[in-house]
Amino acid sequence: MIIKAENISYTYSEGGPFEKAALYNVSLTINRGDFVGIIGHTGSGKSTLVQHFNGLLKPESGRLTVDGIDTSEKKADLKKVRTKVGLVFQYPEHQLFEETVRKDIAFAPVNMGLSPDEIHDRVIWASRLVGLPEEILDKSPFEISGGQKRRAAIAGVLAMKPEVLVLDEPTAGLDPRGRDEILRQIKKLHDETGITVVLVSHGMEDIANTVNYLYVMNNGRIVMHGEPMKVFSRYEELEEMGLTAPQVTKLMKKLCGLDVCTVHQAKEYILGVLRRA
Amino acid sequence: MLKDITLGQYFPGNSFIHRLDAMIKLILSAVYLVIIFLIKNFYGYGLLAAFTLFTIIISTVPLKFVLKGIKPLLWFIIFTAILNLFMTGGTVIWQFGFLKLTKEGISFAVFMMLRIVFLVLGTSLLTYTTSPIALTDGIERLLTPFGKMGLPTHELAMMMSIALRFIPTLLEETDKIMKAQMARGADFQSGNLIKRAKALIPLLVPLFISAFRRADELAIAMECRCYRGGKNRTRLNESKIGYPDIIACVFVLLFALAIISVNKAG
Ligand SMILES: Nc1ncnc2c1ncn2[C@@H]1O[C@H](COP(=O)(O)OP(=O)(O)O)[C@@H](O)[C@H]1O
Ligand SMILES: [Mg+2]
């Protein structure tokens, strides 16, 4: 396993007038090569949790280890942890700052102290992975489209060649086409390179098709986990938490009491039934 | 680090101090500041400390929280004290090269430190117990006489309330961008001065861009709701000066008189 959280809790501005407990006794494990989803409605603590994964936040109690490194330890090498676990923030395009997209993607490799050749290779590699055309690399990050900005920002994290890629709501604010493209590329990245991916989302449809394990958060706690199909089959509970299972899951449950979480599976099943009839 | 900045923070509550009229509170705070500089001896400072402590207690803002406001100014206070310590002429009690320690210097340095500390405590208590909206409203009413002379008081007050309103937002944004760049290996804490200044670019560029974007959006949103400045604008909450305000004024007046008489005694 690469990330392991044991009973971690976290409170924002402890002792102040706006003290806010955000995580209570959260435990989870993420294994190498996994494609893990974390879902929960806004304010359930997803972003707080994933910021623990690369040591930006340290648990108040409990323990979090990344590839055996305890992030709370005084002499823990956090720089190393941050290159192992690449974290793409919500609305990552807000962090772009360089004159050209190329320089912006190169920011992390430069910070890692790599050679110019290596940096160049990584920029090309990362921008190809997220589907950014080469001619865009020399434009200003402020003159390209919203979807391209988002890709450039994701490439900026990928350029560290992390072992785990954590994406905090990567599709927020994108149109359906941009959303599908980003998700497809992430899936492709996972399949081709075998990188471990953690995908945070509040939309079910995003996650149903892609992840192989799912954690559900509510009010700072992990309330359910398991394979997507198992989790979605409890959609009444999900709805009580303000989440919805994919439409097709509900439909298939009503039609034939079957647990299904993607349109593709539903199609296969219905076709099967029709053929037999 | 960012958590230490308490300036302009509001500590919600419903104490006697919270309920005072904002304009009265502003005037009384100004009187308090003048009193700090009138004090001539340590008895006066004792009285001042007692008065300040009393107001903090009835304001229900935790003392720990009020004292936190001094932390970011600690170096400034120490620096001022040291400067005063060695720069004041008078009876020399210890000398090392050009450094002269005088009796007057010591008492002056201590006075200076106490003054800054009480200055910060008094002003932060004002912002802790007054919501930004009430505060700018109070300022606007205070400035009304100048409005007749052509000063755009409403616009000034509006600018101030917008600025105050956006302090927490900008701090939050700074925190987020800082974390995002740290996730890409940025290092804000180590290195020499030039390196550190350079490290701020990845933080400042996105911060400015988002601040401009927010300002733009806010201006459009205000225009959409027909905002057009101060003339003939009415208020949602008309503030009235009541008994508590009069009691507070009398109390501060008595305190001022007490300080003046103690000054004579010392
Ligand atoms: N910087 C912060 N300071 C104070 N409270 C915060 C901060 N960030 C998040 N919170 C609070 O912590 C809780 C969890 O937030 P978050 O982890 O961002 O949830 P999610 O990503 O699931 O929407 C929320 O109630 C939020 O208001
Ligand atoms: Mg979030």
Side-chain angles (χ1 to χ4, degrees):
Chain A
M1 89 208 56
I2 183 142
I3 297 176
K4 186 174 171 69
E6 295 164 82
N7 288 315
I8 61 173
S9 300
Y10 189 82
T11 308
Y12 283 105
S13 27
E14 217 185 353
F18 303 107
E19 185 178 280
K20 170 86 201 163
L23 289 182
Y24 304 89
N25 286 328
V26 170
S27 302
L28 54 72
T29 43
I30 291 165
N31 295 312
R32 255 174 227 283
D34 268 357
F35 197 134
V36 175
I38 299 179
I39 55 173
H41 65 79
T42 312
S44 57
K46 307 179 298 290
S47 301
T48 309
L49 177 62
V50 295
Q51 283 172 40
H52 281 82
F53 291 175
N54 71 346
L56 282 173
L57 296 178
K58 311 230 174 93
E60 222 163 69
S61 64
R63 228 165 76 94
L64 190 126
T65 51
V66 175
D67 207 7
I69 306 172
D70 184 339
T71 58
S72 310
E73 247 175 51
K74 271 249 161 56
K75 51 184 193 314
D77 186 355
L78 287 181
K79 263 203 158 160
K80 195 166 148 204
V81 170
R82 283 178 197 151
T83 49
K84 270 186 199 288
V85 182
L87 174 57
V88 180
F89 272 72
Q90 214 164 334
Y91 298 105
E93 57 273 24
H94 292 173
Q95 79 197 20
L96 300 172
F97 71 99
E98 276 286 9
E99 292 152 54
T100 64
V101 175
R102 185 190 300 279
K103 278 191 183 169
D104 210 285
I105 299 176
F107 182 63
V110 168
N111 285 329
M112 289 166 77
L114 301 176
S115 71
D117 284 345
E118 174 77 18
I119 292 173
H120 176 80
D121 290 348
R122 283 193 178 201
V123 170
I124 301 294
W125 175 80
S127 48
R128 215 168 266 157
L129 275 179
V130 297
L132 269 186
E134 269 211 67
E135 63 266 20
I136 279 197
L137 292 184
D138 291 309
K139 287 195 174 161
S140 153
F142 303 108
E143 63 181 24
I144 59 181
S145 77
Q148 286 171 334
K149 277 187 196 171
R150 176 96 28 121
R151 284 150 199 256
I154 296 176
V157 171
L158 272 179
M160 296 192 292
K161 295 208 171 167
E163 291 168 38
V164 186
L165 180 66
V166 183
L167 300 125
D168 193 351
E169 307 208 12
T171 59
L174 290 184
D175 53 32
R177 190 162 143 215
R179 193 190 78 177
D180 290 347
E181 266 171 30
I182 293 253
L183 287 174
R184 187 154 18 90
Q185 246 130 19
I186 295 168
K187 174 93 177 135
K188 200 170 127 213
L189 175 72
H190 173 256
D191 294 345
E192 279 174 10
T193 63
I195 186 175
T196 314
V197 179
V198 178
L199 185 64
V200 176
S201 175
H202 65 256
M204 298 302 136
E205 327 273 341
D206 276 10
I207 273 188
N209 299 314
T210 39
V211 304
N212 55 29
Y213 204 83
L214 193 55
Y215 288 94
V216 182
M217 292 195 70
N218 192 29
N219 292 328
R221 292 183 175 82
I222 289 185
V223 287
M224 275 187 227
H225 58 103
E227 276 145 32
M229 199 103 87
K230 289 226 177 72
V231 171
F232 289 143
S233 70
R234 294 160 68 182
Y235 64 84
E236 283 103 345
E237 284 167 70
L238 287 175
E239 280 178 2
E240 263 169 46
M241 288 183 272
L243 298 167
T244 53
Q247 302 260 333
V248 62
T249 308
K250 285 195 253 178
L251 178 72
M252 292 305 280
K253 192 98 173 181
K254 287 245 163 77
L255 272 181
C256 49
L258 211 68
D259 289 338
V260 156
C261 64
T262 65
V263 178
H264 184 73
Q265 290 166 338
K267 184 181 115 190
E268 295 293 305
Y269 181 78
I270 293 173
L271 281 181
V273 171
L274 286 178
R275 260 184 226 122
R276 261 178 277 140
Chain B
M1 175 181 54
L2 288 174
K3 281 184 220 126
D4 291 341
I5 299 173
T6 51
L7 178 84
Q9 258 187 27
Y10 173 53
F11 198 104
N14 195 26
S15 69
F16 179 81
I17 309 266
H18 280 88
R19 275 174 291 148
L20 286 180
D21 180 80
M23 185 177 73
I24 299 288
K25 242 189 286 187
L26 274 164
I27 297 174
L28 294 183
S29 302
V31 173
Y32 174 87
L33 297 189
V34 173
I35 290 175
I36 291 177
F37 285 95
L38 285 181
I39 294 175
K40 291 210 183 83
N41 54 32
F42 283 105
Y43 302 115
Y45 280 108
L47 206 58
L48 181 70
F51 175 82
T52 311
L53 197 66
F54 178 71
T55 8
I56 292 175
I57 288 169
I58 56 173
S59 75
T60 65
V61 180
L63 185 64
K64 197 180 86 190
F65 202 72
V66 183
L67 290 177
K68 236 173 73 184
I70 302 177
K71 221 170 114 191
L73 288 173
L74 206 61
W75 285 111
F76 174 70
I77 294 173
I78 291 172
F79 181 71
T80 324
I82 290 175
L83 226 85
N84 278 301
L85 203 57
F86 292 108
M87 296 301 180
T88 319
T91 342
V92 179
I93 42 178
W94 182 79
Q95 189 160 15
F96 180 80
F98 68 96
L99 286 178
K100 271 190 231 121
L101 197 63
T102 63
K103 214 170 130 205
E104 286 76 5
I106 294 175
S107 66
F108 203 68
V110 175
F111 273 16
M112 220 48 208
M113 268 166 75
L114 287 172
R115 272 180 195 166
I116 301 175
V117 167
F118 283 110
L119 217 76
V120 174
L121 290 185
T123 42
S124 48
L125 197 62
L126 174 71
T127 52
Y128 283 150
T129 60
T130 322
S131 73
I133 304 271
L135 196 64
T136 45
D137 183 50
I139 292 171
E140 189 178 345
R141 275 154 59 214
L142 262 185
L143 291 178
T144 319
F146 298 100
K148 304 227 161 64
M149 290 153 52
L151 191 77
T153 51
H154 172 79
E155 280 70 17
L156 284 176
M158 183 55 97
M159 267 154 62
M160 209 141 44
S161 67
I162 291 173
L164 281 175
R165 151 72 184 76
F166 277 98
I167 289 176
T169 314
L170 281 181
L171 284 181
E172 207 174 282
E173 191 104 0
T174 312
D175 186 58
K176 208 191 116 191
I177 297 170
M178 234 165 139
K179 277 183 181 163
Q181 307 298 26
M182 274 157 79
R184 294 204 282 166
D187 186 354
F188 296 104
Q189 255 117 38
S190 59
N192 58 23
L193 208 60
I194 296 172
K195 215 172 144 200
R196 275 201 216 191
K198 259 190 162 165
L200 285 181
I201 296 174
L203 176 63
L204 291 181
V205 173
L207 201 59
F208 270 101
I209 289 171
S210 94
F212 282 124
R213 195 188 51 227
R214 271 180 209 286
D216 212 39
E217 282 167 4
L218 183 67
I220 290 174
M222 281 166 82
E223 259 182 62
C224 287
R225 290 195 272 167
C226 306
Y227 174 81
R228 53 178 179 80
K231 218 165 178 206
N232 299 331
R233 250 171 87 84
T234 51
R235 284 174 201 290
L236 179 60
N237 300 310
E238 288 289 349
S239 29
K240 270 202 218 85
I241 291 171
Y243 283 119
D245 301 303
I246 297 171
I247 294 171
C249 288
V250 171
F251 188 64
V252 173
L253 201 70
L254 285 178
F255 169 60
L257 290 177
I259 290 285
I260 291 170
S261 50
V262 165
N263 263 347
K264 290 222 175 83

